[in-house]
Amino acid sequence: MQSGLSDRAATRQCCSASSTHTEHPWRRHGATHCLLHRLQLAPSLLKAPVARRAPKAARVQFYTSATLAAERPSETTASDAASPLKASDATGHINWDSLGFGVEHIAPIMFRATYTAEDGWQGGLEPYGPLEMLPSAQVLNYGQSVFEGMKAQRSARGRIVLFRPEENAVRMRAGAARLSMPPPPMELYVEAVTSAVRANAAWVPPRGRGSLYLRPLLLGTGPILGLGPAPAYTLVVYAAAVGCYFKCGQLTPIDLIVEERFHRAAPGGMGGTKAAGNYSPVLMTQLAAKEQGYNDVVYLDAKTDTYLEEVSSCNIFTVTGRTIRTPPLEGTILPGVTRRSLIELARARGYTVEEVPIPVADAMEADEVFTSGTAVVVSAVGSITYQGRRRQYGELGRPSPVTLEMYEALTSLQQELDDDPFGWVVPVCEC
Ligand code: COI
């Protein structure tokens, strides 16, 4: 990384001016405000990320998908590799029409930055590969880990776009604070995801046939033994070309079963945080549901076992006439970016949208139910089974009309088929 001593010196100067010292390592250096200031003082931190791994003598490592596959980087001169680290366009092996949601088509370049109180954030692009950490890494012992999900897509305007990336940054920063990790500065987060998209542009599927799913991770990777925050952190953004989340296909309704024994989150817990630790506990119930032929599980509130919370991997909505309802954000439900966007889109289309507790009994009587999330987009719910009773919504195998309308409204906006009066679509490149 090219941010040299002068950057660090600038940071120290900046931080010592506003030293709000606490026991947290990043706060010792003046908190987020100071990190933002640092980024302004040190544009090299973000402008020349690839130089971090380059030897000084004007030779850089340039990675092609073939060499990456062989895990052996080829060497070439700087003039051969005029741009920062960039994946080759060798995606001929990918059948864009049969993309699922998995790691089969992981993009070859990832972004990685590390944080310590002494050096701030340092990082850049590098080949997708293992993260080195000690067995004593905090994340492996005590689980300091939050993640995000985002999608880059080719739009009707011939460019690659992201959808509301700042919202994901805000959510990761909130999650970081909840788990006592240093919130990555907004600029760093946005640069991390946009540079990962640009570098892997060839892995963004053709329009309408999938997307490049981005998985930002923030991990406490520094070593520790007693319970406490890590002394060092890693921000990673890796990516994969993906299609539908549920195996049955994007518009095929899914079957859900209400989970009656376990809860996903409790008041005062961290259900509203996109923490890795929220996702493994749901596997037991999800896998059991899948064995019985359901696609996923819907959870009820931990206090009364009465109200819908969310599905393992996404938020949930009900539709009754022109009223759309979704559970309110009171700390136990993930504040989905797609959820928030659908609320605003539906209101703009004249629907009444209520963020209210939804008794499972009411959901069983609704006209339609759908789920939302970055990975699932909008997914029709074909049935919910609760206490042995199965309620079928709409026509078998087809999405109901409001669900379909909301799916089309969202995806048309995301793919720039429709105007974007909200300013949610962020162009990344015409590449
Ligand atoms: C997403 O929707 O992007 C998520 O991160 C959910 C995950 C379970 C796939």
Side-chain angles (χ1 to χ4, degrees):
M1 184 82 220
Q2 259 187 348
S3 66
L5 283 178
S6 56
D7 291 342
R8 284 185 203 152
T11 305
R12 287 204 188 102
Q13 211 178 3
C14 140
C15 297
S16 59
S18 64
S19 56
T20 50
H21 295 251
T22 77
E23 70 280 15
H24 296 299
W26 72 97
R27 287 195 186 135
R28 248 185 281 134
H29 275 258
T32 308
H33 164 77
C34 187
L35 293 172
L36 290 170
H37 195 177
R38 172 195 172 84
L39 289 173
Q40 284 154 15
L41 286 168
S44 62
L45 181 68
L46 297 178
K47 288 291 180 251
V50 74
R52 175 174 172 269
R53 299 245 153 197
K56 282 196 181 107
R59 287 181 72 79
V60 297
Q61 290 181 316
F62 186 65
Y63 296 89
T64 66
S65 63
T67 52
L68 285 164
E71 294 185 355
R72 231 179 326 103
S74 65
E75 282 224 324
T76 185
T77 60
S79 58
D80 295 331
S83 60
L85 194 60
K86 183 147 181 6
S88 88
D89 292 352
T91 52
H93 62 290
I94 302 180
N95 178 355
W96 301 116
D97 292 317
S98 66
L99 292 175
F101 192 91
V103 292
E104 291 78 15
H105 303 303
I106 284 274
I109 309 293
M110 68 182 191
F111 180 96
R112 181 165 69 102
T114 52
Y115 175 87
T116 61
E118 291 69 35
D119 293 338
W121 290 99
Q122 309 277 327
L125 296 173
E126 60 185 66
Y128 174 81
L131 296 177
E132 207 172 66
M133 65 183 100
L134 294 167
S136 52
Q138 207 281 5
V139 62
L140 300 181
N141 292 264
Y142 301 122
Q144 268 189 315
S145 168
V146 291
F147 71 99
E148 281 299 320
M150 302 171 68
K151 280 177 174 169
Q153 305 192 49
R154 290 192 188 277
S155 89
R157 293 202 197 168
R159 54 192 187 175
I160 297 176
V161 297
L162 283 168
F163 187 67
R164 310 188 78 177
E166 295 91 351
E167 296 295 316
N168 295 88
V170 166
R171 188 170 63 185
M172 176 173 268
R173 287 168 52 76
R178 178 68 180 83
L179 294 192
S180 299
M181 296 196 272
M186 174 76 84
E187 286 86 345
L188 173 65
Y189 182 94
V190 172
E191 177 64 20
V193 294
T194 54
S195 64
V197 172
R198 271 190 222 103
N200 294 302
W203 262 254
V204 184
R207 188 174 69 77
R209 287 154 85 186
S211 54
L212 184 71
Y213 185 81
L214 299 161
R215 177 47 66 82
L217 302 171
L218 178 66
L219 311 168
T221 41
I224 195 141
L225 192 54
L227 179 58
Y233 294 85
T234 303
L235 172 70
V236 178
V237 181
Y238 71 90
V242 300
C244 296
Y245 186 75
F246 291 111
K247 285 200 178 73
C248 50
Q250 184 60 55
L251 289 174
T252 308
I254 57 169
D255 296 309
L256 300 178
I257 182 164
V258 177
E259 172 52 45
E260 295 179 47
R261 283 177 63 209
F262 294 99
H263 297 106
R264 179 185 168 276
M270 61 168 192
T273 300
K274 207 162 173 65
N278 283 334
Y279 289 80
S280 287
V282 305
L283 294 177
M284 194 171 78
T285 51
Q286 194 193 49
L287 294 174
K290 283 185 178 174
E291 269 174 26
Q292 295 175 65
Y294 301 99
N295 298 95
D296 213 330
V297 163
V298 57
Y299 286 92
L300 298 180
D301 74 287
K303 243 184 181 169
T304 69
D305 268 328
T306 306
Y307 303 103
L308 298 188
E309 291 260 292
E310 65 182 84
V311 179
S312 314
S313 53
C314 43
N315 296 121
I316 193 161
F317 290 74
T318 64
V319 182
T320 304
R322 298 282 300 169
T323 301
I324 298 179
R325 296 191 177 93
T326 194
L329 301 180
E330 287 169 354
T332 56
I333 289 169
L334 191 80
V337 177
T338 312
R339 173 190 177 279
R340 167 65 36 213
S341 306
L342 287 170
I343 290 171
E344 293 176 45
L345 264 177
R347 285 191 177 132
R349 299 175 87 83
Y351 288 96
T352 300
V353 183
E354 296 173 353
E355 294 179 69
V356 289
I358 305 171
V360 58
D362 290 7
M364 297 293 280
E365 301 310 318
D367 298 337
E368 301 181 28
V369 177
F370 62 86
T371 67
S372 76
T374 300
V376 307
V377 193
V378 172
S379 188
V381 173
S383 72
I384 294 185
T385 299
Y386 175 53
Q387 294 184 337
R389 178 184 156 225
R390 179 185 175 104
R391 165 70 208 277
Q392 183 73 42
Y393 301 94
E395 221 179 300
L396 200 64
R398 300 176 79 95
S400 295
V402 178
T403 302
L404 190 58
E405 179 187 340
M406 294 315 303
Y407 170 77
E408 283 176 350
L410 179 72
T411 54
S412 299
L413 193 147
Q414 289 175 329
Q415 293 175 22
E416 296 196 295
L417 287 159
D418 280 351
D419 286 342
D420 171 20
F422 307 98
W424 290 342
V425 175
V426 175
V428 175
C429 59
E430 303 204 349
C431 42

